[in-house]
Amino acid sequence: MSPEARPARVALPRGDLRGPVDAHLRGVDFVVEGYGSGARTYRFEVERRPGIQVRVFSDQDIPIQVAIGNYDLGIASRQWVDELLVKHRLDSVVPLRQIDVASEPLVVAGEPGRTLAEIAGAGVVRVATEVPNLAAHFLVHARVPDYRLYEVWAQAEAWPPLDAELAVAPRSAVEKEGLQVLGEVHRGGVWLI
């Protein structure tokens, strides 16, 4: 690589995706030494690939970093890509390819024994969610006439039934909380963008 050439910049996720993404990248001979071990550093070089710089971000920040041009490529949960694209359809994020990393769907859930139509017909529906754009998109298409979104940073599944009627959260989280799944909001997946 010539000294004046800008390095290719890649954004990778921290947190629960770190280990599976590292295993996938090693499987395609893209070794980011120290990334999978959970090293406290957030900047890495790629083994045997000069001119590539890696930075680690929160999963939800990666689509934004790619959209504004700070990073050329990224790997992120598709829910965060679509959370951005639902609101900003003309954004410069292009989903290139799903990678072989397990994820789970986001669902809408509520108190057991009630249907979505019954909840929607009872008045204002309070919905706890980390993904307000995807939640609003789902609620409009489900014809829920009057709702209020409570944007939370984590554990939306803990809100119903006392503090909200519905939660949009990962399927396993709502089931663990004893809520009833009422619909699928997003299929999930991990993508190269």
Side-chain angles (χ1 to χ4, degrees), residues 59-115:
D59 191 18
Q60 60 261 42
D61 290 337
I62 292 172
I64 296 165
Q65 290 291 335
V66 172
I68 62 177
N70 288 344
Y71 288 82
D72 304 302
L73 296 168
I75 293 178
S77 296
R78 184 64 190 249
Q79 77 181 40
W80 295 114
V81 175
D82 291 345
E83 173 69 6
L84 178 68
L85 292 176
V86 163
K87 185 172 183 179
H88 305 285
R89 292 195 183 282
L90 301 176
D91 222 321
S92 60
V93 173
V94 178
L96 298 172
R97 172 177 197 277
Q98 186 169 7
I99 65 170
D100 190 22
V101 171
S103 70
E104 66 178 307
L106 287 176
V107 297
V108 63
E111 186 176 3
R114 297 184 73 198
T115 67

Side-chain angles (χ1 to χ4, degrees), residues 29-52:
D29 197 31
F30 192 89
V31 179
V32 183
E33 204 56 55
Y35 169 64
S37 67
R40 301 216 33 89
T41 183
Y42 285 105
R43 295 181 192 277
F44 298 94
E45 299 295 324
V46 180
E47 193 175 284
R48 296 183 317 273
R49 298 195 190 223
I52 298 178

Side-chain angles (χ1 to χ4, degrees), residues 125-193:
V125 180
R126 300 168 299 164
V127 184
T129 182
E130 288 183 68
V131 287
N133 299 323
L134 287 174
H137 182 78
F138 173 85
L139 294 166
V140 166
H141 283 84
R143 296 192 168 125
V144 175
D146 196 7
Y147 59 87
R148 302 294 177 268
L149 295 176
Y150 297 161
E151 188 173 352
V152 299
W153 288 354
Q155 299 176 327
E157 68 277 3
W159 285 62
L162 298 176
D163 300 310
E165 285 72 43
L166 299 174
V168 174
R171 179 182 293 276
S172 64
V174 301
E175 289 173 347
K176 184 178 177 184
E177 198 65 34
L179 300 175
Q180 179 176 320
V181 174
L182 302 170
E184 186 174 86
V185 174
H186 194 274
R187 289 190 180 155
V190 178
W191 282 67
L192 173 66
I193 58 172

